[in-house]
Amino acid sequence: QTEHQFSKRVRASNFTREKSRTHMRQAFQSVVSQKRFQDHTLGIEATLQGDQVKRYGELGELPVESLGSIGTAIQDEWFLTSNLELRSKLYGEFHNTFDQGWVAQSGISWYATPQLTWRADISRTRRTPGIEELYLFFDHSELGYQTTGNTELQPEILHSFRLSGVWTSAEDRVGFE
């Protein structure tokens, strides 16, 4: 759990007044369970996240805003041969503001030598806007502006493909990807 609190004070006519105050809380918990079988490892993950922001400015107190999500994932790693590994993961999330979404990842690794590994990965990810992006409030009206979050933001979807080679020294002290 993390908490952030910041406030801004201004000085005018020899007295100081509070200009704005923001208090944010965030809690995140993830629980993972893995079971290793003879030729694969199965993993299950559950996540829970909550965010809250309270804001106050010269114009008064703004509504308290909260975000929350709960998710679950299943991941499997198959050891097809002694030098070939296949990975896949599917993650589903339910969000109180952005409904449900999912993430999928899959990859394969070939251990060509003890020091050289070739990898290929493909994924679809989803990033939801954070509470600061949505509800930021910074009152700087004495200079002519206020900064506020954008409540119209929507989740971003990214599709990616990665091909890489990984080399490590025989002592596993130095590596490059």
Side-chain angles (χ1 to χ4, degrees), residues 35-42 76-82 84-87:
K35 174 76 174 163
R36 184 167 174 98
F37 298 94
Q38 183 176 351
D39 56 355
H40 73 104
T41 301
L42 180 64
D76 207 356
E77 295 177 340
W78 287 88
F79 308 102
L80 303 175
T81 66
S82 61
L84 193 61
E85 176 186 330
L86 180 64
R87 301 173 306 284

Side-chain angles (χ1 to χ4, degrees), residues 38-58:
Q38 183 176 351
D39 56 355
H40 73 104
T41 301
L42 180 64
I44 297 175
E45 178 181 12
T47 61
L48 180 64
Q49 181 169 341
D51 298 282
Q52 184 182 63
V53 64
K54 297 178 182 178
R55 304 157 294 158
Y56 173 83
E58 282 187 323

Side-chain angles (χ1 to χ4, degrees), residues 102-113:
W102 57 276
V103 170
Q105 301 169 331
S106 189
I108 191 165
S109 295
W110 175 48
Y111 302 94
T113 69

Side-chain angles (χ1 to χ4, degrees), residues 7-98:
S7 59
K8 179 184 176 196
R9 298 184 181 278
V10 294
R11 188 178 178 119
S13 303
N14 292 326
F15 75 95
T16 303
R17 71 182 193 283
E18 188 170 57
K19 182 73 170 168
S20 62
R21 180 179 66 231
T22 300
H23 183 82
M24 293 188 319
R25 290 183 181 169
Q26 180 183 45
F28 178 81
Q29 183 65 51
S30 177
V31 177
V32 178
S33 177
Q34 288 186 324
K35 174 76 174 163
R36 184 167 174 98
F37 298 94
Q38 183 176 351
D39 56 355
H40 73 104
T41 301
L42 180 64
I44 297 175
E45 178 181 12
T47 61
L48 180 64
Q49 181 169 341
D51 298 282
Q52 184 182 63
V53 64
K54 297 178 182 178
R55 304 157 294 158
Y56 173 83
E58 282 187 323
L59 302 176
E61 191 166 332
L62 297 171
V64 174
E65 301 290 350
S66 299
L67 297 178
S69 68
I70 186 169
T72 187
I74 186 165
Q75 178 174 327
D76 207 356
E77 295 177 340
W78 287 88
F79 308 102
L80 303 175
T81 66
S82 61
N83 61 350
L84 193 61
E85 176 186 330
L86 180 64
R87 301 173 306 284
S88 59
K89 180 178 183 177
L90 183 63
Y91 175 78
E93 173 188 53
F94 295 95
H95 200 282
N96 71 329
T97 302
F98 301 112

